[in-house]
Amino acid sequence: MLTLLITMVERLGILVMIAFILTRFPFFRDMIYQEKLNHRQQLTAIIFFGFFGIIGTYSGLTLSTNNLEISRWTSDLNADEAIANSRVIGVVLAGLLGGYKVGLGAGLIAGIHRFTLGGFTGIACGLATIIAGVLSGVFYRKNKIVKLKKAFFIGALAEMLQMGVILLLARPLEKAWTLVEIIGMPMILANGLGCALFLLIIKSVINEEEKAGAMQAQKTLRIAEKTLSYLRNGLTTNSAKIVCHILHNELNTRAVAMTNLSEILAHVGLGHDHHRSDSPIQTEITMEAINKGEIIIANQHSIHCRVNGCPLGAAVIAPLKQRGEIIGTLKFYFRTEKEITPVTMELIAGLSSLLSNQLELADADKSYQLAREAEIKALQAQISPHFLFNTLNTILSLVRVDPAKARKLLVSLSHFLRQNLSVTTQNVTTLEQELKHVKAYLAIEEARFTDKLKVVYDIEECALLETIPPLTLQPIVENAIKHGMKDTERDGIVKISIHKQNRAAFVKVEDNGSGMSEERSNQICKTPISSEVGNGLALYNVNRRLTIMYGNSSGLQIKSQLNKGTEICFSVPCEEVS
């Protein structure tokens, strides 16, 4: 019995090979992770595990119940012969990993095959194999990982069931009893161990691959974090040099280089004495990668290095893209082509795509900044020449009658114009600076419309330290005067309120002017509106910049009624002080 057990355990080496082969098949990976198999995948699994059961039969040991001799390999059986085998392993794993349908299908294939081999246990063993497939399918749990103890238990239980079926169906009973006495315990232990071992090998291989993939992903993310701040400046000599240093240190290559479409921007590592930065691209293989837009592997011959004894014997050249257009290459150098493994190629392809995306984001960010500056310049352009001419005329009229007031208006005009010129260089400004800008503008307007306009301020000083996009408040106030007060002859009031409220700075501009319809007030910030008195572009741009920077909750809120005035408000989150 012990000899039989040892021999059967030795035969489990075949399972190791089959288990490794299985890891190459996508359908089996789906089974391991308990994903639902489609009909084609189920059929593939049934056929595979069914033939796996057949292999388990042929790799078994033939036992004669007359003389108790053991034959090393199985062929056609005589009436007094039976097989000590590992057929049940494939059938049990089919049920555990794929469910009762897969288990039953594999059991039918392996069981019918066993029946055709003959022997006095042919019917009993064939039927037991089918039952084992159904039994293991009962223990199948979707979205549950199969544990090794469970695999051992089910494998041993299936083999115990086979021993029972042999005793019930195989005749003569004396031979069946003798057979079970000899092969029962070795087969129960060997097949239980085989199921657990098979599953262990599968999981170990897949876990190692996942671990390698996780390490590769971690390395890629680390590279992304390190290179992002430098590539924000685009593909330049300085950014390329720093990125090449980062890649060289992380990947331990012989050298790393980056080029644009015409010259080498940086080369870090071996060969830097003759692969020089800021020199024209010298190799045809690099130009081929640029022209084809594909990753190319170059050996020492195709690199065409002009220096004898160059330590760089192979290279992988990956294109860098921006908006779908090739803008340069990323080159990794190795000692020989043997160092370029499939894992290395996959990593390089990922890095090429990653750096290309970072360059594209940098370009998009630059475009956004240009668009933002264009929006602010559009707001500046709204300073009408009529406003300047009217202001200057007001100042001229005051020069003789009230020189002090004329001087004050000149100061206000100077501050107003200077603020408009400086905002293109600022990303944000404080509410305090915005309010000074607005006060300079309103001082001019109050001087022009002495009886028509009165400005009221309700300001909470602590709220003025919060930041907002430049030219946010002034266009709202100007809108209130130009459109709200256009039909007002006397006693026009504009009220500006700034308070802290629920961890936000709340800003409100009210007027008692002509107001607008509800339909117009609902549309005015959503899109520019064509009309005789204006297009709403100023408020549209202000609203867009607020929502981009702080989210939709910070957008302009407008309440208005015809002949009763308008109220425009917004809020920005307060900065936390650490």
Side-chain angles (χ1 to χ4, degrees):
M1 183 182 296
L2 181 60
T3 302
L4 179 61
L5 176 61
I6 294 173
T7 305
M8 290 192 67
V9 170
E10 287 176 352
R11 295 289 172 94
L12 293 180
I14 299 174
L15 298 179
V16 175
M17 178 186 69
I18 297 175
F20 181 78
I21 294 172
L22 266 181
T23 60
R24 307 298 99 188
F25 292 93
F27 83 88
F28 189 75
R29 290 173 181 264
D30 291 337
M31 294 178 70
I32 285 290
Y33 292 111
Q34 303 297 313
E35 295 180 7
K36 185 177 180 180
L37 301 179
N38 57 38
H39 294 301
R40 183 176 180 180
Q41 289 172 320
Q42 285 183 339
L43 181 61
T44 303
I46 288 171
I47 293 172
F48 189 95
F49 282 107
F51 279 96
F52 183 17
I54 292 174
I55 292 173
T57 299
Y58 280 123
S59 62
L61 305 171
T62 302
L63 176 68
S64 173
T65 55
N66 287 336
N67 53 24
L68 301 182
E69 289 184 356
I70 297 176
S71 175
R72 290 291 179 177
W73 296 100
T74 299
S75 56
D76 291 335
L77 301 179
N78 297 324
D80 62 338
E81 290 181 332
I83 307 171
N85 60 82
S86 56
R87 174 178 59 253
V88 77
I89 294 176
V91 176
V92 166
L93 288 172
L96 284 178
L97 299 177
Y100 76 93
K101 290 182 180 179
V102 177
L104 176 61
L108 284 170
I109 292 175
I112 292 173
H113 169 265
R114 172 62 188 89
F115 172 75
T116 61
L117 293 179
F120 76 99
T121 61
I123 296 176
C125 290
L127 179 61
T129 302
I130 298 171
I131 295 173
V134 177
L135 174 68
S136 60
V138 172
F139 289 90
Y140 167 77
R141 294 294 180 270
K142 189 177 181 180
N143 299 322
K144 294 286 186 179
I145 298 174
V146 181
K147 297 181 179 180
L148 299 181
K149 289 182 179 180
K150 183 178 181 180
F152 176 85
F153 171 75
I154 303 301
L157 180 62
E159 200 56 60
M160 291 170 63
L161 178 65
Q162 180 170 250
M163 296 300 112
V165 173
I166 289 174
L167 291 176
L168 285 174
L169 300 181
R171 292 296 180 269
L173 181 60
E174 294 79 8
K175 289 185 178 182
W177 183 261
T178 301
L179 178 68
V180 170
E181 279 186 322
I182 297 173
I183 70 172
M185 189 56 65
M187 286 185 64
I188 291 170
L189 293 176
N191 287 320
L193 179 63
C195 289
L197 178 62
F198 186 92
L199 202 60
L200 175 64
I201 293 168
I202 294 293
K203 289 187 175 182
S204 296
V205 172
I206 293 178
N207 287 341
E208 284 300 317
E209 290 181 356
E210 290 179 344
K211 184 178 179 181
M215 291 178 64
Q216 185 170 317
Q218 187 180 30
K219 182 179 292 187
T220 303
L221 290 174
R222 188 166 60 245
I223 290 172
E225 183 180 4
K226 289 182 177 181
T227 57
L228 179 59
S229 60
Y230 301 106
L231 289 178
R232 281 177 179 168
N233 299 321
L235 188 59
T236 65
T237 300
N238 290 333
S239 64
K241 185 175 182 180
I242 295 171
V243 169
C244 284
H245 272 289
I246 293 171
L247 294 174
H248 182 54
N249 293 333
E250 287 287 345
L251 302 181
N252 296 319
T253 55
R254 307 294 285 178
V256 178
M258 292 181 76
T259 76
N260 57 22
L261 297 178
S262 59
E263 64 180 5
I264 302 170
L265 296 176
H267 182 100
V268 176
L270 297 180
H272 64 87
D273 54 332
H274 56 280
H275 291 271
R276 298 183 183 275
S277 303
D278 299 321
S279 61
I281 295 176
Q282 301 175 4
T283 60
E284 294 181 4
I285 199 73
T286 302
M287 296 307 300
E288 183 180 347
I290 291 174
N291 293 330
K292 289 185 176 181
E294 300 174 353
I295 296 178
I296 293 178
I297 299 176
N299 55 30
Q300 192 168 26
H301 175 72
S302 56
I303 288 177
H304 294 298
C305 184
R306 299 175 181 178
V307 176
N308 292 329
C310 177
L312 307 176
V316 178
I317 306 168
L320 293 173
K321 299 181 180 181
Q322 188 172 300
R323 299 184 184 276
E325 299 292 329
I326 307 297
I327 61 169
T329 64
L330 179 63
K331 304 169 73 173
F332 295 88
Y333 290 95
F334 302 88
R335 186 191 299 273
T336 65
E337 257 186 295
K338 291 182 179 180
E339 295 180 3
I340 305 173
T341 64
V343 174
T344 301
M345 288 295 297
E346 186 177 347
L347 179 59
I348 290 173
L351 288 174
S352 170
S353 177
L354 170 70
L355 298 184
S356 294
N357 288 336
Q358 288 184 342
L359 288 169
E360 193 159 327
L361 286 173
D363 184 63
D365 185 60
K366 185 177 180 180
S367 298
Y368 168 74
Q369 293 299 329
L370 291 173
R372 180 183 169 280
E373 291 179 13
E375 285 182 1
I376 294 177
K377 288 176 181 178
L379 291 173
Q380 291 174 326
Q382 294 179 56
I383 303 174
S384 167
H386 294 292
F387 168 76
L388 293 176
F389 294 150
N390 291 334
T391 302
L392 290 174
N393 286 332
T394 302
I395 293 171
L396 285 172
S397 67
L398 291 171
V399 167
R400 290 186 179 180
V401 297
D402 194 345
K405 191 172 183 180
R407 202 164 37 246
K408 185 177 179 182
L409 285 181
L410 277 173
V411 172
S412 296
L413 180 61
S414 172
H415 179 85
F416 178 75
L417 294 176
R418 184 166 56 249
Q419 182 71 8
N420 273 278
L421 292 173
S422 65
V423 292
T424 54
T425 61
Q426 299 174 338
N427 292 320
V428 292
T429 188
T430 62
L431 275 168
E432 183 177 18
Q433 289 297 320
E434 276 286 288
L435 187 60
K436 286 180 180 179
H437 186 216
V438 168
K439 284 182 175 181
Y441 169 75
L442 288 174
I444 297 169
E445 293 296 83
E446 281 184 296
R448 289 177 58 203
F449 307 109
T450 305
D451 298 324
K452 181 179 179 179
L453 176 64
K454 180 182 178 182
V455 180
V456 178
Y457 296 98
D458 180 14
I459 308 299
E460 187 177 346
E461 294 295 328
C462 63
L464 295 179
L465 299 176
E466 304 305 327
T467 57
I468 60 173
L471 279 181
T472 296
L473 185 56
Q474 189 273 335
I476 299 174
V477 174
E478 184 177 348
N479 185 79
I481 293 173
K482 287 176 62 177
H483 303 295
M485 300 296 179
K486 64 183 177 65
D487 298 324
T488 302
E489 296 297 331
R490 297 181 61 85
D491 301 325
I493 298 174
V494 172
K495 182 178 180 182
I496 301 173
S497 305
I498 302 176
H499 294 277
K500 275 197 172 182
Q501 182 176 315
N502 297 327
R503 296 184 180 179
F506 185 79
V507 181
K508 181 165 63 174
V509 178
E510 304 170 79
D511 68 70
N512 62 345
S514 57
M516 67 185 90
S517 66
E518 183 178 355
E519 181 183 1
R520 185 175 178 84
S521 64
N522 289 334
Q523 293 178 350
I524 198 165
C525 290
K526 306 298 187 294
T527 182
I529 302 170
S530 297
S531 70
E532 294 179 0
V533 295
N535 58 13
L537 181 62
L539 293 184
Y540 171 74
N541 283 338
V542 168
N543 182 67
R544 202 166 79 87
R545 288 189 292 131
L546 282 170
T547 54
I548 287 173
M549 184 170 288
Y550 301 113
N552 291 332
S553 61
S554 292
L556 296 182
Q557 306 293 323
I558 300 178
K559 296 179 182 179
S560 185
Q561 288 184 330
L562 286 172
N563 303 317
K564 290 187 178 181
T566 301
E567 174 187 304
I568 299 179
C569 60
F570 66 91
S571 63
V572 294
C574 294
E575 294 184 358
E576 296 183 3
V577 179
S578 57

